[in-house]
Amino acid sequence: MSAQQEAAQAVESYAGERYKYGFVTDVEADSAPPGLDHDTIRFISAKKGEPEWLLTWRIRAFERWLEMEDEEPTWAKLHYPPIDYQEACYYSAPKSDSDRPKSLDEVDPELLKTYEKLGIPLQEQEMLAGVAVDAVFDSVSVATTFKDKLAEMGVIFCSISEAVKEHPELVQRYLGSVVPYSDNFFATLNSAVFTDGSFVYVPKGVRCPMELSTYFRINAANTGQFERTLIVADEGSYVSYLEGCTAPMRDENQLHAAVVELIALDDAEIKYSTVQNWYPGDAEGRGGIYNFVTKRGACRGANAKISWTQVETGSAITWKDPSCILQGDNSVGEFYSIAITNNRQQADTGTKMIHMGRNTKSRIVSKGIAAGRSDSTYRGLVRIQPKAEGARNHTQCDSLLIGAECGAHTVPYIESRNPTARVEHEATTSKISEDQLFYCRQRGIDEEDAVALIVNGFCREVLQELPMEFAVEAQKLVAISLEGSVG
Amino acid sequence: MSKPMLAIENLHATVDGKPILNGLDLAVNEGEVHAVMGPNGSGKSTLAYVIAGREGYEVTEGSITYRGEDLLAMSVEERACSGVFLAFQYPVEIPGVGSATFLKTAVNAARKHRGEQEYDAMEFLKLVREKRAALGIDDGMMRRALNVGFSGGEKKRNEMLQMALLEPTLAILDETDSGLDIDALKVVADGINALRGPERAMVVITHYQRLLDHVVPDKVHVLAGGRIVRSGGSELALELESRGYAGLGLEPSAAA
């Protein structure tokens, strides 16, 4: 039986069980008042029953953040009104059922249409839309099924809050070791106030037997706005992790600032795939998520490999550059990216490849698609440190423009401090040609489908890096993201 | 008596405001193959694009009736889905889109239009396998990105494969013979002949007689200066071949 089937069965049986008892425990909890001060941090930490060392770490981050008042990054090609950080709420209780839609009938029909196009099952639709139903998905229960299987192999996969309690030594050892609490404005804010996220540890020589994705999809609805993820692959291990969901999720919080840290030891490999489809705002750019993400992986050991694959179609603003620090000799970093912006969306995304070890290799394939009045920027850094003998990088950076009012920008930085390094950069900017559209339409393919076909072709190299089941969904997502961009 | 497929009357069309077609008349019946020949710049490709509905080719006067319907009122994809096929003189490259994927999308678009069940991947592959062998197209070519890096012959054979799968009722072949060596020409001609049938009509646009040695037309028209200036049987093509357009008093320059 496949992991998916098992998950479905677990959910079903659990849902049935719940229904049998006919009631749902009220998980009413206190919320912190809006604003951010020492008390807010203590409140969050206490709510989560954290040990002293973590509270101290949070407080340190908060105090550093206070000093960073003028350090909110402005270098990105992004425009948004100043954010009032004292207005936000940093800890809120799960919504009580009376505040939530009673059924899908009360949910925005546009959202439902999208779910339908993506082929999201009904139950999952309810979960994503935040519907209060008796037979709710209970992530704890589903997680148990998976965890049993993973535990057999020694793989730890749980929420970071749980990991703090159950595996404090691992968390303490690796948390902040790739993205220090003082790293940058948003990462520092995250370090002070992070609510939850995932923790993965794969022991020596273990090949994680499943994509760590299904569980996440079910569990992801309430990971909150300050997500923190930590993945450690011990020597000779392998793990493929997929975050996010092709379906747009309902979310009340405009500001998102996540931190993801990956650590790959000798001969270990981590494959991290993201499908990001947060609410992008309406056609005029009203509303929409601000997504300020710090993602970084360290290839600590020799022959380690970290591969980032991302499909970014959502959010009003995306600020993100998943990076690799290639410390171990012969380690490999990869970055495959599709960033689609439409209407008024803005994205400033790319990667950093920091070559430190000898014979380190990196590959960057970035596909930016801009439509409507959107702005898409690729910003990348390839740095070869003096000791990185024989380092190699190949960067391919392609932009596709749809219509005449959007913008695509490429800002590649290359810093080589070792004469034996080989660094290659290729970039193209193109438009969907009238010839291509006419050719497709003459074969009976309507304009919107033709654009989807051409754009999917343009993104092919990246799409094929995604786990199979998600590649298909991602292709549909590409099409949906560009609806209304032509004609 | 066979029914009219295509009736073009007094067609005037401009490109960028410049008149290209100036009162063209053409009538094609079901089951017929017509050749349209003419010197460079006479309006042959414009005629093909106007029938297909390409943007920028503006009809200023006249009408086109396709199986009793006003063709000019239909969008490009509606025309395609109702059976109008244009084999391109220069097939367009679409990077990253496999030929098989493109074909399947096109065939399914037409099936959907007709209210038929769309093919799944397996059914479609089977269908393609039957059709492609006759055109000397191997599986490798089907997996390559559409027309990207294809030789001239491969591109044209791929056009013929698309035609064979889409089974149009009216096929316009725009200089399908150009750029082909004699062997490829034979393959393409066989592909065309295989599709000749009582319910299908074809308009073969060409410069030269040589394709017409293999695809013998029912009628031949000479297009010059944006109008049909002579029509006749297949012997007209031979006359053109021996005497040239100049011999018929049709200097290429007269077409401008």
Side-chain angles (χ1 to χ4, degrees):
Chain A
M1 189 161 46
S2 77
Q4 279 79 9
Q5 282 172 313
E6 264 181 51
Q9 228 171 53
V11 168
E12 236 166 71
S13 63
Y14 189 79
E17 206 175 296
R18 275 287 233 219
Y19 200 67
K20 192 169 71 187
Y21 292 108
F23 67 92
V24 179
T25 317
D26 197 15
V27 279
E28 210 58 61
D30 298 324
S31 294
L36 186 55
D37 56 21
H38 283 82
D39 286 342
T40 322
I41 311 287
R42 286 201 183 87
F43 177 85
I44 294 170
S45 192
K47 266 281 162 214
K48 300 168 79 64
E50 288 176 352
E52 191 59 32
W53 65 265
L54 190 52
L55 174 62
T56 310
W57 194 73
R58 285 180 182 274
I59 294 284
R60 231 183 263 152
F62 176 60
E63 285 172 355
R64 177 73 189 95
W65 186 73
L66 289 176
E67 296 163 15
M68 290 172 131
E69 205 180 340
D70 301 326
E71 296 177 33
E72 187 171 337
T74 52
W75 44 260
K77 194 176 161 44
L78 302 170
H79 303 281
Y80 55 94
I83 299 167
D84 185 344
Y85 293 92
Q86 291 302 333
E87 227 174 44
C89 190
Y90 291 87
Y91 187 91
S92 55
K95 280 207 158 210
S96 75
D97 283 357
S98 53
D99 289 343
R100 303 164 72 173
K102 300 282 178 294
S103 73
L104 284 177
D105 297 341
E106 290 178 28
V107 174
D108 181 2
E110 283 300 309
L111 196 62
L112 295 181
K113 242 191 263 170
T114 309
Y115 288 158
E116 208 156 290
K117 284 179 198 153
L118 286 166
I120 309 282
L122 206 65
Q123 271 191 314
E124 225 173 301
Q125 289 189 19
E126 290 177 334
M127 190 270 302
L128 291 165
V131 172
V133 285
D134 287 342
V136 287
F137 281 88
D138 189 305
S139 55
V140 178
S141 154
V142 175
T144 311
T145 317
F146 280 108
K147 266 197 274 182
D148 287 348
K149 188 161 184 168
L150 292 170
E152 280 172 34
M153 312 200 66
V155 176
I156 301 168
F157 182 24
C158 60
S159 74
I160 198 144
S161 309
E162 195 183 331
V164 167
K165 291 197 182 85
E166 305 292 327
H167 310 281
E169 70 298 337
L170 282 173
V171 178
Q172 196 166 5
R173 183 149 150 213
Y174 291 109
L175 185 74
S177 75
V178 186
V179 180
Y181 69 79
S182 56
D183 192 81
N184 70 70
F185 186 83
F186 295 115
T188 302
L189 177 63
N190 174 289
S191 300
V193 301
F194 73 88
T195 35
D196 219 332
S198 298
F199 175 80
V200 178
Y201 172 79
V202 190
K204 278 184 193 172
V206 169
R207 199 181 161 85
C208 186
M210 61 182 90
E211 300 273 348
L212 299 184
S213 61
T214 313
Y215 158 81
F216 195 89
R217 282 182 72 180
I218 293 164
N219 199 34
N222 282 313
T223 41
Q225 58 189 131
F226 299 103
E227 199 177 319
R228 185 102 198 177
T229 293
L230 176 60
I231 298 177
V232 182
D234 213 325
E235 293 172 20
S237 68
Y238 168 84
V239 61
S240 168
Y241 183 91
L242 195 136
E243 83 169 322
C245 189
T246 47
M249 270 187 257
R250 206 180 70 124
D251 197 295
E252 310 292 322
N253 301 306
Q254 189 171 40
L255 175 65
H256 281 243
V259 172
V260 175
E261 295 177 277
L262 311 181
I263 295 123
L265 302 183
D266 283 354
D267 304 304
E269 180 176 349
I270 301 174
K271 190 172 164 59
Y272 192 106
S273 311
T274 304
V275 175
Q276 186 266 117
N277 189 21
W278 297 103
Y279 181 55
D282 66 13
E284 292 307 312
R286 285 181 294 258
I289 301 289
Y290 292 178
N291 194 23
F292 301 104
V293 186
T294 304
K295 287 184 167 173
R296 197 174 301 153
C299 286
R300 291 260 159 91
N303 311 310
K305 181 175 174 185
I306 287 179
S307 180
W308 298 99
T309 304
Q310 60 173 21
V311 178
E312 301 282 324
T313 63
S315 296
I317 292 177
T318 299
W319 178 97
K320 181 181 177 189
D321 54 350
S323 305
C324 295
I325 302 171
L326 304 171
Q327 291 166 278
D329 290 348
N330 310 310
S331 60
V332 177
E334 293 176 337
F335 174 74
Y336 300 98
S337 171
I338 297 169
I340 299 180
T341 52
N342 197 356
N343 297 317
R344 292 283 191 153
Q345 283 176 279
Q346 306 172 61
D348 192 308
T349 182
T351 185
K352 291 181 196 145
M353 293 290 174
I354 313 295
H355 292 254
M356 298 170 74
R358 282 174 299 173
N359 300 315
T360 45
K361 288 192 194 71
S362 63
R363 178 156 191 241
I364 298 170
V365 180
S366 166
K367 304 278 181 177
I369 299 109
R373 283 179 290 176
S374 69
D375 239 321
S376 175
T377 302
Y378 167 82
R379 187 183 303 276
L381 168 67
V382 176
R383 176 184 289 157
I384 314 289
Q385 298 286 59
K387 285 181 183 159
E389 285 295 312
R392 286 175 64 180
N393 160 267
H394 186 265
T395 299
Q396 188 191 327
C397 195
D398 300 322
S399 305
L400 185 68
L401 300 170
I402 300 173
E405 290 178 274
C406 54
H409 320 274
T410 302
V411 191
Y413 297 86
I414 297 171
E415 300 172 9
S416 181
R417 302 201 176 98
N418 186 305
T420 65
R422 261 173 58 193
V423 179
E424 298 163 347
H425 182 95
E426 285 177 47
T428 65
T429 300
S430 52
K431 295 186 84 159
I432 290 184
S433 75
E434 202 267 324
D435 278 353
Q436 287 173 328
L437 279 179
F438 175 63
Y439 190 65
C440 291
R441 293 178 68 200
Q442 210 302 305
R443 296 299 183 253
I445 303 165
D446 71 36
E447 199 158 10
E448 227 154 56
D449 289 347
V451 168
L453 189 72
I454 294 165
V455 172
N456 270 310
F458 175 77
C459 299
R460 205 169 103 112
E461 281 168 279
V462 177
L463 287 170
Q464 65 195 16
E465 291 297 324
L466 284 172
M468 249 316 244
E469 80 238 51
F470 263 79
V472 177
E473 279 189 38
Q475 278 186 32
K476 286 190 209 159
L477 180 61
V478 165
I480 291 170
S481 307
L482 290 168
E483 272 178 8
S485 64
V486 288
Chain B
M1 199 186 98
S2 53
K3 284 188 277 181
M5 174 73 75
L6 179 72
I8 302 178
E9 284 173 12
N10 191 32
L11 185 67
H12 291 252
T14 61
V15 178
D16 293 330
K18 190 179 154 206
I20 306 288
L21 300 181
N22 304 298
L24 184 144
D25 295 293
L26 182 68
V28 182
N29 290 330
E30 277 183 353
E32 293 178 351
V33 174
H34 288 220
V36 173
M37 305 180 73
N40 282 329
S42 57
K44 297 193 300 294
S45 286
T46 298
L47 173 62
Y49 286 147
V50 168
I51 293 171
R54 182 162 198 163
E55 265 173 55
Y57 291 75
E58 201 187 334
V59 174
T60 51
E61 207 182 324
S63 66
I64 304 181
T65 310
Y66 167 64
R67 296 162 91 190
E69 286 185 65
D70 178 7
L71 189 72
L72 296 175
M74 294 158 78
S75 72
V76 179
E77 50 268 40
E78 276 169 0
R79 296 179 199 200
C81 286
S82 55
V84 177
F85 179 89
L86 171 62
F88 282 61
Q89 184 180 359
Y90 304 107
V92 179
E93 297 183 2
I94 307 187
V97 177
S99 295
T101 305
F102 179 78
L103 267 173
K104 179 165 162 266
T105 309
V107 169
N108 278 338
R111 291 184 70 84
K112 198 170 156 189
H113 181 83
R114 293 194 296 261
E116 295 167 8
Q117 182 78 32
E118 294 178 35
Y119 286 125
D120 66 27
M122 293 311 291
E123 291 169 324
F124 185 73
L125 281 177
K126 191 162 165 272
L127 189 70
V128 170
R129 205 176 300 134
E130 287 165 14
K131 306 265 184 186
R132 71 175 161 77
L135 289 159
I137 293 173
D138 64 17
D139 191 43
M141 189 168 141
M142 296 307 299
R143 280 199 293 258
R144 281 157 64 190
L146 185 69
N147 292 322
V148 178
F150 282 26
S151 71
E154 284 174 330
K155 282 183 183 173
K156 296 298 171 74
R157 278 187 281 145
N158 194 38
E159 291 290 288
M160 292 304 101
L161 177 61
Q162 294 184 27
M163 182 164 81
L165 284 163
L166 289 166
E167 300 182 313
T169 42
L170 174 65
I172 315 293
L173 287 78
D174 188 8
E175 301 204 19
T176 297
D177 52 341
S178 69
L180 294 185
D181 61 32
I182 194 71
D183 293 336
L185 184 73
K186 185 80 175 51
V187 171
V188 164
D190 288 348
I192 297 170
N193 285 327
L195 284 172
R196 287 180 86 150
E199 284 164 5
R200 183 169 290 138
M202 295 187 190
V203 176
V204 179
I205 294 171
T206 182
H207 256 302
Y208 305 107
Q209 158 65 23
R210 60 176 200 161
L211 177 65
L212 305 180
D213 287 339
H214 303 285
V215 180
V216 181
D218 299 300
K219 280 189 180 158
V220 174
H221 308 274
V222 179
L223 178 59
R227 292 186 303 125
I228 302 292
V229 293
R230 268 188 76 173
S231 296
S234 59
E235 72 288 345
L236 179 56
L238 295 169
E239 190 187 338
L240 269 176
E241 181 75 3
S242 60
R243 296 174 57 194
Y245 294 107
L248 290 177
L250 302 166
E251 291 291 349
S253 56

